[in-house]
Amino acid sequence: MRSLSAWVALALAAGVCAVPSTTVHKVKESVVSPRGWVKRAPAPADHIIELRIALPQPNFDELERHLYEVSDPFHDRYGQHLSKEEVEELVAPEAESVHLVNEWLASHGVYEDGLTRSPAKDWVHIKIPVALAEEMLRTKYHVWTHDASGSSVIRTTSYSLPEHLHDHVELIQPTTMFSHMKSLKTTFHFSHFSESAKGSASVTADAPPINIPSASGGHVDASCNATVTVTCLQQLYNAAGFTPSTTNGNQIGITGYLEQFANIQDLQSFYADQRPDALNSSFKTILINGGQNNQSLAEAGAEANLDTQFAFGLTFPTPGTFFSTGGSPPFIPDDLTPTNSNEPYLDWLAFILAQKTIPQTISTSYADDEQTVPASFAKRVCNEFAQLGARGTSLTFSSGDGGVGDGEEDPALQECFTNDGRNVTRFVPLFPPSCPFVTAVGGTIHVPETAVFFSGGGFSDLFSRPAYQNAAVTKFLNKLAPGTYKGLFNPNGRAIPDVAAQADNFLIFLGGRSGLIGGTSAAAPTFASFISLLNSARLSAGLPPLGFLNPLVYAIHAAAPDAFNDITTGNNPGCGTPGFNATEGWDAVTGVGTPNFGKLKEILTFGLGSLDLASSS
């Protein structure tokens, strides 16, 4: 067997011999030196790097047309989602692109048996030494270290391709992406944790119930004002007494990244405390790209436990899946770590899009500052999310935990400056919540509900405002005093969030102890759970799942505002400002509000004809 260095030498020799000396290379993508990252030593030549090559999707506009038609409650095709094969046909690259990229790879000694392709052939995945990547891309990779976290990645600030390939390659990563993926968990109240695995859900408050007209039975237990449980959410969002089916094919999924492990023993403690009828049930775990789900109590993840305990507790007995995706551990130069993709969204998307059957509802509580994600990468990943929506899956993402800031809970740590070398003060939206093909979920607190201070909200600098938001967002912008935050946000951008849910004081079990935790990472799986319950009701009624939610959400909000609980108090400070205010109608703190499950179920199972939807067009 040849040594790695010998293989590299042969591959480089093949590349040098095969590529004509007249080949003209041109810069494909470049970025300024990213703020917060320090360039260290050159990347080791023998380090194996995984490159994902995106081929253009010339018919994506047609896929987008299909997506909006099957997601628009005004359209005759509403709910007629596409099959896996139909989506793949719409995103397939041109044959010429496939041929030219194959030719280029072969010229560098990379042949069919050394690569993998997505089912649609729109992605090519190769594993090659850094030295070969540098030759192919006419660049130099270095080890870069993130100041705040100390984590390191292998990246470059510029790469080139042969000029004739520019129209046939959309992007190649990891190259210029310096994002720092965050788990959106803003508050973790260790002081509330008990030493025993005994929660407080069973404690009865002496105070009388809180009158909430939209809640189940018109009231919510007083204890819910301080401690949020499954029962609290069922009461508050008018879902008490509803039991989803186990036989109609409905499923819910939770994504996990950053070595966050969902502990089954903790889940059983949670069930014993809050959902005793679910005891001894569990969820399916799917490991992706080296992901793990270590069951040591010491390794239990607060984020993963929060997401799975509440999502699966609220939707029991709906089958649940926890997707654990690897690729996030920092690169340690001395160890020559075998993989260093550090872009787990792509790893997860590559897996999930290849599956014939996928959950109808999937929630994610992780994000990056939008400005740290290259525009080409963000737009391509966003388009991948559109494929899932077209297939009938609802995707929820936490809107962020820094208000209008960069996701840092502590305003003193927020860096609200552009990342383009100008260092101009700017609000910092997060991605993927800023993608118009997903549903961004903001946060509330207390009963009656008010906006929680950390609820991420604002306007995208990458994506323009989609048509489904125009009426609601324009009303909000018209309420702002002239010149409010001028230059700090893009008023024409995709607005965040779309909806909201409770986001603080959630009672979970972690490492055998009970305690309270918060963040929009609590809000996203909560909202997703009520969507999953709606999907169950629809499937049992012979109706299709909801799929891409946003056109429907804004249409229902316009025609039947009481289907969402409008949040009109609170704000989301950040970047040295008070942020935006919650107000009547849509706002950049809580979106259109929190769900009234009972009302939504009535609308979505008795037929959209029960609404005068035409009045909202």
Side-chain angles (χ1 to χ4, degrees), residues 319-336:
T321 300
F322 176 62
F323 299 97
S324 179
T325 303
S328 60
F331 167 72
I332 303 172
D334 292 341
D335 288 353
L336 290 180

Side-chain angles (χ1 to χ4, degrees), residues 207-270:
I210 305 168
N211 292 324
I212 302 292
S214 60
S216 296
H219 62 267
V220 176
D221 291 349
S223 62
C224 299
N225 211 9
T227 302
V228 174
T229 65
V230 166
T231 299
C232 290
L233 295 170
Q234 291 170 330
Q235 292 177 356
L236 181 61
Y237 296 141
N238 194 19
F242 177 78
T243 302
S245 169
T246 59
T247 60
N248 61 12
N250 191 40
Q251 300 179 53
I252 184 170
I254 294 293
T255 64
Y257 301 101
L258 305 179
E259 296 187 297
Q260 279 281 321
F261 306 138
N263 189 272
I264 295 173
Q265 184 177 333
D266 280 337
L267 178 70
Q268 297 307 314
S269 297
F270 177 84

Side-chain angles (χ1 to χ4, degrees), residues 58-59 63 83-93 119-120 387:
N59 296 317
L63 173 76
S83 68
K84 173 178 179 288
E85 293 74 21
E86 288 171 331
V87 167
E88 288 168 359
E89 184 177 348
L90 287 169
V91 299
Q387 295 181 48

Side-chain angles (χ1 to χ4, degrees), residues 57 67 82 105 201 253 272 370 388 395 402 421 488 512 558:
Q57 301 167 329
L67 171 67
L82 306 187
L105 291 172
E370 186 186 68
L388 291 171
L395 299 171
L488 294 183

Side-chain angles (χ1 to χ4, degrees), residues 583-595:
T583 186
E584 183 179 348
W586 182 90
D587 57 67
V589 193
T590 60
V592 302
T594 61

Side-chain angles (χ1 to χ4, degrees), residues 345-380:
Y345 294 133
L346 278 186
D347 295 318
W348 180 77
L349 281 164
F351 172 85
I352 201 72
L353 286 169
Q355 306 308 303
K356 183 75 173 178
T357 303
I358 54 182
Q360 294 89 345
T361 312
I362 301 175
S363 182
T364 299
S365 296
Y366 302 78
D368 301 298
D369 295 345
E370 186 186 68
Q371 64 173 357
T372 68
V373 182
S376 62
F377 178 86
K379 291 174 181 177
R380 182 59 179 248

Side-chain angles (χ1 to χ4, degrees), residues 5-324:
S5 58
W7 187 89
V8 174
L10 284 172
L12 285 174
V16 170
C17 293
V19 178
S21 59
T22 56
T23 299
V24 176
H25 280 69
K26 187 171 73 172
V27 173
K28 176 65 176 176
E29 189 168 20
S30 64
V31 297
V32 298
S33 183
R35 193 181 67 253
W37 291 86
V38 178
K39 183 164 70 173
R40 304 296 186 185
D46 286 356
H47 174 74
I48 299 298
I49 192 168
E50 297 188 33
L51 294 182
R52 291 193 184 273
I53 304 166
L55 279 60
Q57 301 167 329
N59 296 317
F60 180 80
D61 287 349
E62 183 69 5
L63 173 76
E64 188 174 15
R65 180 180 71 81
H66 283 280
L67 171 67
Y68 278 113
E69 287 183 359
V70 302
S71 307
D72 180 358
F74 302 111
H75 203 280
D76 291 342
R77 290 184 63 201
Y78 179 70
Q80 298 176 27
H81 302 113
L82 306 187
S83 68
K84 173 178 179 288
E85 293 74 21
E86 288 171 331
V87 167
E88 288 168 359
E89 184 177 348
L90 287 169
V91 299
E94 299 283 5
E96 182 185 11
S97 297
V98 176
H99 170 71
L100 290 175
V101 170
N102 285 351
E103 196 173 59
W104 172 63
L105 291 172
S107 75
H108 288 280
V110 181
Y111 301 101
E112 196 68 25
D113 61 354
L115 55 83
T116 57
R117 300 182 190 276
S118 62
K121 295 183 169 55
D122 56 335
W123 286 95
V124 179
H125 183 203
I126 61 176
K127 299 180 181 181
I128 58 175
V130 163
L132 181 54
E134 291 178 336
E135 169 64 27
M136 293 171 66
L137 303 179
R138 296 293 194 272
T139 191
K140 291 295 294 182
Y141 278 93
H142 285 79
V143 177
W144 292 75
T145 301
H146 188 246
D147 279 341
S149 68
S151 62
S152 297
V153 296
I154 288 181
R155 294 292 186 270
T156 180
T157 55
S158 175
Y159 67 95
S160 299
L161 289 172
E163 196 164 16
H164 74 280
L165 285 182
H166 275 238
D167 290 338
H168 302 282
V169 172
E170 191 169 310
L171 62 94
I172 299 177
Q173 291 290 353
T175 48
T176 58
M177 184 169 174
F178 288 86
S179 62
H180 189 63
M181 191 180 187
K182 292 184 281 284
S183 165
L184 300 180
K185 178 183 75 277
T186 185
T187 51
F188 202 148
H189 306 299
F190 285 101
S191 61
H192 291 188
F193 266 68
S194 63
E195 291 301 324
S196 64
K198 173 63 179 173
S200 58
S202 59
V203 176
T204 303
D206 293 332
I210 305 168
N211 292 324
I212 302 292
S214 60
S216 296
H219 62 267
V220 176
D221 291 349
S223 62
C224 299
N225 211 9
T227 302
V228 174
T229 65
V230 166
T231 299
C232 290
L233 295 170
Q234 291 170 330
Q235 292 177 356
L236 181 61
Y237 296 141
N238 194 19
F242 177 78
T243 302
S245 169
T246 59
T247 60
N248 61 12
N250 191 40
Q251 300 179 53
I252 184 170
I254 294 293
T255 64
Y257 301 101
L258 305 179
E259 296 187 297
Q260 279 281 321
F261 306 138
N263 189 272
I264 295 173
Q265 184 177 333
D266 280 337
L267 178 70
Q268 297 307 314
S269 297
F270 177 84
Y271 281 165
D273 189 57
Q274 298 193 35
R275 193 78 206 236
D277 57 330
L279 264 172
N280 300 317
S281 70
S282 189
F283 52 86
K284 179 169 66 174
T285 298
I286 294 179
L287 307 179
I288 302 168
N289 190 41
Q292 301 176 43
N293 197 28
N294 188 323
Q295 287 302 295
S296 164
L297 282 176
E299 297 296 326
E303 181 66 70
N305 275 13
L306 166 64
D307 292 350
T308 54
Q309 287 172 19
F310 271 88
F312 302 149
L314 282 165
T315 60
F316 177 78
T318 302
T321 300
F322 176 62
F323 299 97
S324 179

